[in-house]
Amino acid sequence: MNRGLVGASLLALVLVIIGVVAAYFGTRYQLRLVYSAYVNLLVVLGLQVFMGNARVTNLSHSAFMGIGAYAAAICVTPQNIKAISLPDAPWGLNTFALDPVTSALIAIAVTGLIAFLVGIVIVRLSGIGATIVSLAVLVIIHSLFLYRTDIFKGNQAFFGIPQVFSLTSVVILAVIVVFATRLFRESRWGIALRASADDEVGASTMGVNIYRLRLIAWVMSGVLLAIAGIAYAYYLGTISARPFYFNHVFLTLAMLILGGMRTITGAVLGCFLISFGLEWVRWLETGPLLLGIDLPEALGLSGIALGAVIVLTMALRPGGIMGEREIEDFILKS
Amino acid sequence: MEYLAQQMMNAFAFGAEYALLALGLAIVFSIMGLVNFAHGEMIAVGGYSMVAMAALSLGNPMIVIGFALLAAVVASVTLERVAFRPVRYADPTTGLLTAFGVSIILQNLFLLLVSPRPIAVTSLYFLEWSIPIGMVSISSLQLFEALTTIIVIVALMLFLRQTSLGLAMRAAALDFEMVRLTGIRANRVFAMAFMISGMLAGIACIFIMARRGSVDPHLGFDPVLKAFVACVVGGFGSLPGAVLGGFLLGVVEVAMLVLLPQSLGGMTDAFVFGIIALVLVWRPNGILAARAEKGDKQ
């Protein structure tokens, strides 16, 4: 537990330093980039809680992020804007507006409840079954976003969300979530869950209630993903269904895998490596002039890079860069 | 009555397509424990090979079909050699994520090298006409699809039961070490599994292309997702389970298409997956899963 606090504090320090450096030296565009890296960090940490501890691959996380973002957006957007953007909304959804904090709490509760209901099915399945069903969940939720255009506006922009978040707020949020996930990992539940991932039969003979622990981790993951969604919506002010689908799923999955899904340090490392590395690939994608050679435009290059990251990590270092090591292991003696 | 017969034929044809794909997934999974997310890309490879044929103005349907099958088989076997060999004996999660990455790479390669937009393929339209049987008229394509699936299942069964390589593959699904000790080459068993899997994807590709008439980088995603769900419901790794799951999914999907009001048209898949999830609450390991106790040596 104490090591956990030390490790989380070190990571928090790193996060604050990156945030401060970006705030002082970054251009407007770079600030946006750093902000989205922090939002993705929240997603990756949320993903790590379930995937890293229970070691069951989850592919539905972006959908839960979307639920959080939309729920908060529907609550917080002022009535006069909703009257324009959601004229046909059912259940009087366009007749009220709440303050950002209440909206966020409602969004977290709604996402947590949905995660709980989905989790009841997911946690009972074996590893691979759970992964496939989570993929089906992603497709179901996405088709709901697209189908109920009267509530979610589908692929069109849901606009007018008050932009109450800044880089400072997301850095603070990230620090809190790093502590929460790290302490969960080192807690009784976290240890029991990791033990059950190593040896299911062994852990259950020692009295570990695997289904219950997985459900707890799953719901906690859902709540963290909702927070990430809210942070996304409160900064951009505009959301649509597209960012909560497949591309975002494999972007964040690649981040977690590259860093190493078993540790919080791995999640943080992978997130920042890919966030900044991908920017370079995106620059290549536009067909720049490199060493005097005019490169052609290459759409899809970033996808290939992400896929290659996943494949190469799995082939060369299945545990990711960090493996089982956390950041404090480099400093403290074991 | 006519309507009922028509819908039953639809359900059978849908189910046949899912069963073909699910079999391809299950045969690879049963032998090496790999959840092959890149299976859908084999369908797309077949589809793009038809585009290539059209570009070379080779219109002969036999050549087009033969080449599409060949392309899917070659792609499948190549993937086994290049991408899946390093994770051959790794745990299922590692294999699953590798296949997921391979699938993303291939989709983006199509996007980069061919086109992000759908490309029309008209060379297979001749397969579709309607056959009047008594009061009912049946689509020839659906009939072909159902017949082909039955032939494929029987052929696969004969192969697995009557030939020594087939026997080796069935044994490999139970205890791969033992098979290697008897002197059968592991590489050959894996290559065969991927060859069959690619062949099944190629066959499914022909029917999908004949129905859709166009190919895009994400062609394989929807059908393979259904096939995955079929595998999970049937019991992952069980071949009869894959076939059962495929047909079950076909029936549920057509039932949803018929029963749901028009206004819920966009939500068919959501309802299908929802119903399937209920089956999984009843039987978390799938309907035909082997009753292995956890902790038994596989």
Side-chain angles (χ1 to χ4, degrees):
Chain A
M1 205 49 124
N2 283 332
R3 289 180 75 92
L5 281 173
V6 173
S9 310
L10 285 171
L11 284 177
L13 192 66
V14 173
L15 292 179
V16 170
I17 290 172
I18 294 177
V20 169
V21 168
Y24 275 95
F25 301 105
T27 59
R28 224 179 128 73
Y29 172 75
Q30 284 166 336
L31 271 185
R32 238 178 133 87
L33 194 76
V34 172
Y35 189 91
S36 77
Y38 274 95
V39 170
N40 281 336
L41 177 64
L42 293 177
V43 176
V44 175
L45 289 171
L47 188 59
Q48 197 276 340
V49 170
F50 183 72
M51 225 177 117
N53 293 317
R55 278 190 232 134
V56 175
T57 309
N58 172 17
L59 299 175
S60 65
H61 50 281
S62 299
F64 286 99
M65 181 190 173
I67 295 175
Y70 271 112
I74 289 168
C75 290
V76 78
T77 307
Q79 286 110 314
N80 52 355
I81 296 179
K82 278 199 281 195
I84 305 167
S85 63
L86 303 171
D88 311 316
W91 314 308
L93 283 178
N94 53 5
T95 55
F96 68 94
L98 301 168
D99 64 294
V101 177
T102 321
S103 307
L105 290 177
I106 291 176
I108 289 171
V110 168
T111 317
L113 182 69
I114 296 174
F116 176 75
L117 294 176
V118 173
I120 290 174
V121 178
I122 295 262
V123 297
R124 282 162 49 85
L125 303 173
S126 68
I128 285 151
T131 304
I132 307 291
V133 171
S134 75
L135 185 58
V137 168
L138 176 76
V139 172
I140 292 178
I141 294 175
H142 186 70
S143 61
L144 256 174
F145 287 156
L146 291 187
Y147 172 70
R148 293 305 300 252
T149 44
D150 53 342
I151 307 177
F152 304 113
K153 290 187 71 73
N155 269 332
Q156 280 176 303
F158 187 119
F159 53 87
I161 307 161
Q163 288 164 282
V164 290
F165 264 40
S166 63
L167 188 61
T168 318
S169 18
V170 82
V171 171
I172 294 170
L173 215 52
V175 167
I176 296 171
V177 171
V178 160
F179 271 98
T181 48
R182 184 65 209 269
L183 291 182
F184 179 79
R185 183 178 185 266
E186 308 301 337
S187 72
R188 233 180 108 86
W189 286 346
I191 291 170
L193 195 58
R194 283 186 284 147
S196 79
D198 282 335
D199 184 349
E200 203 173 321
V201 180
S204 58
T205 44
M206 300 299 279
V208 173
N209 186 343
I210 297 172
Y211 293 152
R212 207 191 69 170
L213 283 180
R214 278 191 191 162
L215 191 58
I216 290 170
W218 175 264
V219 173
M220 182 170 165
S221 162
V223 166
L224 294 179
L225 290 165
I227 293 175
I230 296 164
Y232 180 84
Y234 279 7
Y235 180 76
L236 287 181
T238 307
I239 55 175
S240 73
R242 201 184 301 263
F244 305 122
Y245 202 43
F246 217 53
N247 285 348
H248 187 258
V249 169
F250 72 72
L251 170 68
T252 43
L253 197 63
M255 289 173 174
L256 184 57
I257 288 168
L258 176 66
M261 62 165 129
R262 298 190 177 194
T263 60
I264 309 296
T265 314
V268 175
L269 180 68
C271 178
F272 283 112
L273 279 182
I274 290 197
S275 290
F276 299 132
L278 205 59
E279 211 41 41
W280 189 74
V281 177
R282 289 218 176 95
W283 172 73
L284 275 183
E285 219 169 29
T286 56
L289 204 64
L290 188 64
L291 301 174
I293 309 159
D294 193 8
L295 295 171
E297 196 172 296
L299 211 70
L301 210 58
S302 53
I304 294 174
L306 286 179
V309 164
I310 296 180
V311 172
L312 290 177
T313 311
M314 283 297 132
L316 304 175
R317 221 185 148 94
I321 296 174
M322 297 307 292
E324 292 280 0
R325 282 169 304 170
E326 288 278 9
I327 190 167
E328 77 276 5
D329 293 338
F330 296 104
I331 300 166
L332 301 176
K333 289 204 181 82
S334 53
Chain B
M1 184 60 215
E2 285 163 58
Y3 185 67
L4 193 67
Q6 185 64 55
Q7 296 303 347
M8 278 169 67
M9 195 61 210
N10 278 340
F12 198 74
F14 273 56
E17 182 190 314
Y18 299 146
L20 278 178
L21 291 171
L23 263 180
L25 295 170
I27 202 156
V28 166
F29 182 81
S30 69
I31 288 171
M32 68 183 280
L34 175 79
V35 180
N36 191 1
F37 263 101
H39 200 60
E41 278 56 56
M42 300 305 100
I43 303 176
V45 166
Y48 282 117
S49 79
M50 292 178 192
V51 175
M53 288 285 99
L56 295 170
S57 60
L58 287 169
N60 185 324
M62 284 304 122
I63 296 181
V64 172
I65 289 176
F67 195 74
L69 285 179
L70 186 72
V73 169
V74 169
S76 182
V77 174
T78 311
L79 276 193
E80 191 271 319
R81 298 209 78 141
V82 177
F84 298 135
R85 202 158 276 194
V87 295
R88 187 178 274 182
Y89 303 109
D91 63 309
T93 309
T94 307
L96 180 147
L97 291 171
T98 307
F100 192 69
V102 168
S103 156
I104 295 164
I105 293 178
L106 286 178
Q107 280 185 18
N108 283 286
L109 274 180
F110 299 143
L111 204 104
L112 181 64
L113 300 178
V114 192
S115 161
R117 278 182 287 278
I119 303 173
V121 175
T122 51
S123 44
L124 291 176
Y125 279 162
F126 72 95
L127 283 171
E128 176 83 303
W129 72 88
S130 70
I131 309 169
I133 300 179
M135 306 279 284
V136 196
S137 90
I138 289 177
S139 140
S140 64
L141 190 63
Q142 291 188 340
L143 199 64
F144 285 141
E145 195 162 11
L147 287 177
T148 312
T149 306
I150 292 169
I151 294 170
V152 164
I153 291 172
V154 171
L156 192 60
M157 221 162 69
L158 286 177
F159 168 75
L160 288 175
R161 282 172 193 275
Q162 305 292 333
T163 65
S164 54
L165 191 55
L167 184 66
M169 289 179 71
R170 277 164 57 212
L174 293 176
D175 189 344
F176 199 74
E177 289 302 307
M178 189 63 218
V179 175
R180 296 181 75 188
L181 285 177
T182 59
I184 288 171
R185 283 203 205 137
N187 284 349
R188 190 175 286 179
V189 174
F190 284 120
M192 195 66 206
F194 273 87
M195 206 184 270
I196 294 173
S197 167
M199 176 75 94
L200 293 169
I203 295 170
C205 164
I206 288 161
F207 292 112
I208 292 172
M209 290 302 291
R211 202 173 314 124
R212 283 180 43 138
S214 73
V215 53
D216 63 71
H218 309 292
L219 175 72
F221 180 72
D222 271 352
V224 167
L225 176 61
K226 297 263 175 62
F228 269 125
V229 174
C231 279
V232 172
V233 172
F236 224 114
S238 146
L239 300 191
V243 174
L244 177 76
F247 281 106
L248 184 70
L249 208 64
V251 170
V252 174
E253 185 165 352
V254 169
M256 286 299 114
L257 284 172
V258 172
L259 296 177
L260 286 179
Q262 202 74 49
S263 60
L264 285 173
M267 297 294 296
T268 319
D269 283 355
F271 277 90
V272 173
F273 292 146
I275 290 173
I276 295 298
L278 293 182
V279 177
L280 288 174
V281 174
W282 166 54
R283 287 217 125 167
N285 289 324
I287 301 172
L288 292 185
R291 288 208 155 267
E293 285 294 314
K294 280 182 180 149
D296 279 4
K297 189 175 180 298
Q298 290 298 314

